[in-house]
């Protein structure tokens, strides 16, 4: 439990990443629940054994919850960031399904664009972990002596 509850003070870049992800996820979640609901339904792979609308609504609620947590609960950034990283991993099979099934949505209307989205998913996972304060100790760089020094 220590990994989840223990956090060092956030750096400015970590806070900016947290806020950007929070705003992005809150906005995406609201779109799931409102004006872009049909477009999101089109992205649900055919092999998902749950009603498309239920998937869209549930993921929208999850996205709003994760986004608001990142924005409004900076003291809980570790748990919110880890939860967001897990969410990005959980939805990855759906993104693969969109690529394999050739589903056009949100401008992803070619295999190249859908593949680029797949390649970007690990960046989102890494950003969520970074916003959570992981890895601990921040990014490291080599000093003049060749030893690793904490960036400060």
């Amino acid at each position: 439990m220590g990994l989840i509850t223990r956090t060092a003070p956030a750096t400015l870049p970590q806070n900016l990443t947290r806020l950007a992800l929070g705003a992005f996820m809150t906005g995406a979640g609201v779109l799931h629940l409102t004006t872009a609901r049909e477009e999101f339904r089109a992205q649900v792979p055919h092999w998902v054994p749950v009603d498309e609308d239920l998937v869209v609504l549930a993921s929208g609620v999850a996205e709003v919850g994760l986004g608001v947590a990142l924005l409004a609960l900076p003291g809980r950034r570790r748990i919110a960031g880890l939860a967001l990283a897990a969410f990005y991993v959980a939805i990855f099979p759906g993104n693969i399904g969109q690529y394999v099934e050739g589903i056009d949505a949100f401008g992803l209307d070619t295999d190249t664009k859908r593949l680029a989205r797949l390649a970007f998913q690990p960046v989102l996972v890494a950003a969520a972990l970074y916003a959570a304060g992981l890895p601990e100790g921040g990014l490291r760089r080599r000093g003049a002596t060749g030893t690793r020094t904490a960036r400060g």
Side-chain angles (χ1 to χ4, degrees):
M1 197 67 172
L3 177 69
I4 293 174
T5 58
R6 178 184 69 233
T7 67
T11 64
L12 179 61
Q14 286 172 325
N15 274 329
L16 293 175
T17 302
R18 176 182 58 79
L19 294 171
L21 286 173
F24 172 74
M25 294 306 294
T26 302
V30 168
L31 289 174
H32 272 73
L33 303 173
T34 59
T35 59
R37 196 158 153 190
E38 284 300 314
E39 189 113 19
F40 281 110
R41 286 184 68 194
Q43 288 185 286
V44 177
H46 299 99
W47 49 263
V48 173
V50 179
D51 178 70
E52 291 172 349
D53 205 41
L54 181 59
V55 170
V56 171
L57 291 173
S59 61
V61 168
E63 289 177 359
V64 168
L66 290 165
V68 168
L70 285 168
L71 292 170
L73 303 172
R76 301 286 184 184
R77 70 186 176 94
R78 175 69 54 99
I79 190 89
L82 287 170
L84 180 58
F87 178 80
Y88 286 145
V89 170
I91 65 169
F92 191 64
N95 295 342
I96 293 171
Q98 183 180 9
Y99 173 74
V100 170
E101 295 176 17
I103 298 171
D104 294 349
F106 294 106
L108 302 174
D109 54 2
T110 67
D111 283 345
T112 301
K113 290 177 183 177
R114 288 184 286 270
L115 192 59
R117 178 186 189 193
L118 292 177
F120 188 67
Q121 198 78 9
V123 174
L124 289 173
V125 173
L129 293 174
Y130 181 67
L134 296 170
E136 287 187 349
L139 300 176
R140 298 186 177 271
R141 60 182 161 168
R142 298 225 177 249
T145 61
T147 59
R148 300 197 110 188
T149 57
R151 187 177 69 151

